[in-house]
Amino acid sequence: MTGFSTRAIHDGQPFDPRTGAVVPPIFLSSTFVQDGVGTFRDGYEYGRGGNPSRDQLQQQLASLEGGTHAFAFGSGLAGEDALLRAILKPGDHVLMANDVYGGTHRLVSRMFVPWGVELSTADFADLDAVRAAIRPTTKVLWVETPSNPLMKITDLAALAELGHAAGAVVVADNTFASPFLQQPLALGADVVVHSTTKYVGGHSDIVGGAIVTADAELADAVGFVQFGVGAVNSPFDAWLTTRSLKTLAVRMERHSSNAQAVAEALVGHPALEAVHYPGLPTHPGHEIAARQMSGFGGMVSIQVRGGADEALAIVRRTELFQLAESLGGVESLICYPSEMTHASVKGTELAVPTNLLRLSVGIEDAADLITDITTALQS
Ligand SMILES: *Cc1c(COP(=O)(O)O)cnc(C)c1O
């Protein structure tokens, strides 16, 4: 198999056979002419069922995650919803890491639990805790590593073994790492989930999601939900995402080196209680991360001495780190998870510390980013 960057640039991205255009054109058509009733050109009939731009993205994603099937959705949560509908029935239990993306927990607790699905959470950095929380009805183990926003690390190979012994589907949300830094399917996970809004898209200009698997039966079920429910990625967003994937490797290398530099500059800062970054040797998951990732990614979180007021003062003072939800774009962002990304889990077991700030370290010059955040911490 060719290398990651070669596949990122060429898989699913053939030049246009009619014109020779190096970049495949965007197919904005919602419907496709039939040569006779039921005789389709290349299988295309109607845009919800299939679109060449979406198919090209799906091929590229399947290749990059080491899967056989990928499905591109209108958002990460739309993909998660389709996946869970494909797997769960009333009475099934979902065991989720206790610091997943707030919206993922909300999706299950507010949409699936009322339909009879059971949900509980555990600390997935502690596999004994996971083992103890598995029930006879456990159908899904849902992990995010590194996790959001505390940057906890789960041993994916060990978790997959545990999940399979229990007969559960092991789902890895690979949004924070991206397929360039981590390949959950190769480590034993059954399904990879992405918010392509984040690193895969990488430029803060699209909202999208993806499901990738090498399990043909599960792929059939997810494909049917994608078609039957219809939360598909638009052709234009799919095309932009294929464009973005071509630079994923170089972006992730720069995100990782910048985040490492920012984290190292912040360690021991008198205004901070803690710096969470798996690239720091003092991080409790450092060794596992070093083994299962090829870099530590662009996300850093910090806990500010004092409390919420001190943390909120810092987000008012940074200039390059702009205050916004989301992550994974070329520009640096800062967020206050307890009132922003994780506001939906306030008061639950997933609530995050109120002195926590999350940094999405962009690909600007590291020295400028360090100056920006340390200046904000000092004043
Ligand atoms: C943003 C995010 C999601 C949800 O994706 P959307 O594209 O916003 O629907 C899921 N998981 C993680 C880790 C995320 O950061």
Side-chain angles (χ1 to χ4, degrees):
M1 193 168 35
T2 49
F4 185 92
S5 293
T6 305
R7 284 182 282 130
I9 291 165
H10 294 289
D11 283 7
Q13 292 292 294
F15 68 85
D16 179 44
R18 185 169 76 85
T19 62
V22 165
V23 177
I26 313 178
F27 289 84
L28 290 172
S29 198
S30 60
T31 191
F32 300 86
V33 170
Q34 306 186 9
D35 289 325
V37 175
T39 308
F40 311 128
R41 298 205 171 191
D42 216 7
Y44 292 106
E45 179 182 11
Y46 179 62
R48 172 161 40 72
N51 170 282
S53 300
R54 193 169 86 234
D55 282 351
Q56 286 169 347
L57 169 61
Q58 293 180 163
Q59 236 177 300
Q60 204 182 10
L61 282 167
S63 167
L64 296 181
E65 283 289 359
T68 51
H69 300 76
F71 302 92
F73 289 88
S75 71
L77 284 174
E80 295 182 14
D81 173 56
L83 174 64
L84 291 168
R85 288 190 204 217
I87 298 172
L88 296 171
K89 57 181 188 335
D92 288 342
H93 171 236
V94 176
L95 179 58
M96 193 174 268
N98 65 3
D99 60 346
V100 297
Y101 177 71
T104 299
H105 184 267
R106 180 182 56 201
L107 171 68
V108 178
S109 67
R110 301 281 297 276
M111 307 301 293
F112 284 85
V113 168
W115 285 93
V117 166
E118 292 172 13
L119 170 67
S120 67
T121 62
D123 178 359
F124 273 41
D126 175 359
L127 291 176
D128 290 331
V130 175
R131 196 175 293 111
I134 288 176
R135 304 175 186 174
T137 52
T138 302
K139 200 67 198 282
V140 171
L141 295 190
W142 191 289
V143 65
E144 244 178 79
T145 180
S147 72
N148 180 9
L150 285 167
M151 308 304 296
K152 286 198 209 165
I153 300 294
T154 300
D155 183 333
L156 281 171
L159 183 81
E161 225 172 275
L162 245 180
H164 294 153
V169 179
V170 177
V171 181
D173 183 332
N174 205 25
T175 298
F176 267 37
S178 90
F180 179 65
L181 297 181
Q182 179 170 272
Q183 305 254 299
L185 297 179
L187 292 164
D190 300 295
V191 193
V192 164
V193 168
H194 276 287
S195 169
T196 55
T197 313
K198 317 293 170 52
Y199 286 105
V200 167
H203 298 73
S204 307
D205 54 8
I206 47 172
V207 173
I211 299 295
V212 189
T213 184
D215 178 329
E217 203 177 313
L218 182 60
D220 270 357
V222 173
F224 181 74
V225 180
Q226 186 192 42
F227 170 69
V229 178
V232 292
N233 201 216
S234 77
F236 187 60
D237 283 350
W239 182 87
L240 275 174
T241 310
T242 61
R243 185 280 319 261
S244 296
L245 277 170
K246 295 176 188 178
T247 57
L248 182 68
V250 287
R251 285 188 285 110
M252 292 316 293
E253 280 170 359
R254 181 67 169 263
H255 280 296
S256 298
S257 64
N258 276 2
Q260 185 79 35
V262 167
E264 283 173 8
L266 295 180
V267 166
H269 193 287
L272 298 179
E273 221 167 61
V275 178
H276 305 286
Y277 184 63
L280 297 171
T282 48
H283 186 284
H286 176 69
E287 273 174 37
I288 296 168
R291 198 166 68 225
Q292 71 185 13
M293 302 175 77
S294 62
F296 300 103
M299 300 302 296
V300 177
S301 63
I302 55 180
Q303 286 182 265
V304 179
R305 245 180 239 294
D309 289 346
E310 285 74 11
L312 287 165
I314 290 162
V315 305
R316 283 194 294 270
R317 288 196 293 255
T318 53
E319 287 174 7
L320 283 175
F321 282 94
Q322 300 177 97
L323 178 63
E325 303 246 3
S326 201
L327 59 111
V330 292
E331 60 288 292
S332 293
L333 300 178
I334 189 166
C335 124
Y336 183 59
S338 66
E339 294 292 344
M340 294 171 68
T341 50
H342 289 64
S344 68
V345 291
K346 251 192 352 192
T348 74
E349 68 275 23
L350 273 78
V352 297
T354 56
N355 67 342
L356 186 82
L357 296 174
R358 190 186 74 181
L359 306 175
S360 174
V361 180
I363 64 171
E364 300 97 333
D365 291 285
D368 295 331
L369 296 177
I370 291 168
T371 302
D372 190 48
I373 187 78
T374 51
T375 305
L377 288 176
Q378 259 147 23
S379 24

